[in-house]
Amino acid sequence: QVQLKETGPGLVQPTQTLSITCTVSGFSLTSYYMQWVRQTPGKGLEWMGFIRSGGSTEYNSEFKSRLSISRDTSKNQVFLKMNSLKTEDTGVYYCARDLNYGFDYWGQGVMVTVSS
Amino acid sequence: DTVLTQSPALAVSPGERVSISCRASEGVNSYMHWYQQKPGQQPKLLIYKASNLASGVPARFSGSGSGTDFTLTIDPVEADDTATYFCQQSWNDPYTFGAGTKLELK
């Protein structure tokens, strides 16, 4: 069955870099776009960006200068890296599979706290 | 960015019909999707492309609309439907979500 699971650091210091891994099973990354969405107390659900089935990426311009999405298809993993973290980046980060019409499977999310 | 406006909260009795609205600040064609989120859980896709029921979702849920005005309807409402419901558009860049409508049962 389709499963997605995010793993990440939990606590990150301001100005540092956030790295999250999304490990998937039950489908191939070469067949679906993969999305990153976060949920913060200040802005609610925010679309961050995606990686296409072919490997190219698109980012929300709000994050574009500090966000990178990549993948390792051999390990069934998608990666999010975001630098220059601020306290406002505190929230839950989700990866999700893109049905092309909505995001049909989501990971359980990883809580990230940005604090010194 | 495309702003999606939802009413913040609704309260209904079990067995009733409820309609949750989402208005977009600009047209999104039919690329409006609806999610249910319960506390501590990830969002769950209910409706995609305005009116298509996602796999495994009960037929009590339905969606309608196009352009800028969309509606999610639950009929009849059950106790388990207590949750926050979000709309999301994927027509305009960047994709955006509504702030959510919290559904409470009386």
Side-chain angles (χ1 to χ4, degrees):
Chain A
Q1 70 277 28
V2 173
Q3 292 186 320
L4 297 78
K5 184 175 182 180
E6 305 90 345
T7 52
L11 178 66
V12 182
Q13 293 193 341
T15 75
Q16 297 302 301
T17 296
L18 172 66
S19 295
I20 300 175
T21 298
C22 173
T23 303
V24 309
S25 60
F27 67 98
S28 173
L29 293 176
T30 60
S31 297
Y32 291 88
Y33 290 21
M34 289 298 296
Q35 302 277 354
W36 286 96
V37 176
R38 74 177 188 179
Q39 190 165 27
T40 65
K43 292 195 173 183
L45 287 165
E46 289 184 283
W47 171 70
M48 300 183 72
F50 63 75
I51 185 164
R52 293 184 176 89
S53 53
S56 59
T57 53
E58 294 288 342
Y59 302 112
N60 186 332
S61 58
E62 171 143 350
F63 306 103
K64 193 168 187 176
S65 62
R66 57 190 187 113
L67 178 64
S68 174
I69 297 172
S70 60
R71 70 182 186 182
D72 183 337
T73 56
S74 68
K75 294 183 178 179
N76 295 319
Q77 292 179 327
V78 183
F79 310 106
L80 176 147
K81 291 195 177 182
M82 189 163 70
N83 58 34
S84 306
L85 285 195
K86 305 166 245 186
T87 55
E88 308 91 270
D89 293 317
T90 292
V92 180
Y93 287 73
Y94 296 100
C95 61
R97 190 178 82 166
D98 188 345
L99 189 63
N100 274 345
Y101 319 120
F103 308 160
D104 64 341
Y105 283 93
W106 296 61
Q108 86 276 15
V110 59
M111 178 67 204
V112 174
T113 301
V114 182
S115 174
S116 56
Chain B
D1 295 2
T2 305
V3 176
L4 302 181
T5 301
Q6 299 183 244
S7 52
L10 289 171
V12 298
S13 299
E16 291 185 345
R17 170 189 172 113
V18 65
S19 293
I20 298 171
S21 65
C22 177
R23 174 163 288 177
S25 62
E26 57 187 321
V28 300
N29 199 319
S30 62
Y31 285 76
M32 184 67 79
H33 323 296
W34 290 94
Y35 300 87
Q36 176 193 67
Q37 187 178 35
K38 298 181 178 181
Q41 296 185 15
Q42 67 271 52
K44 173 187 175 183
L45 180 66
L46 297 176
I47 300 289
Y48 63 93
K49 281 198 75 180
S51 60
N52 297 278
L53 196 65
S55 177
V57 175
R60 303 183 291 105
F61 294 87
S62 63
S64 62
S66 66
T68 60
D69 290 293
F70 297 85
T71 301
L72 171 71
T73 299
I74 311 173
D75 186 16
V77 172
E78 297 183 356
D80 187 52
D81 299 335
T82 298
T84 300
Y85 294 84
F86 296 93
C87 53
Q88 178 235 335
Q89 64 84 21
S90 60
W91 182 249
N92 299 314
D93 180 21
Y95 298 170
T96 50
F97 289 84
T101 297
K102 189 172 184 178
L103 181 66
E104 297 180 342
L105 267 64
K106 297 177 185 175

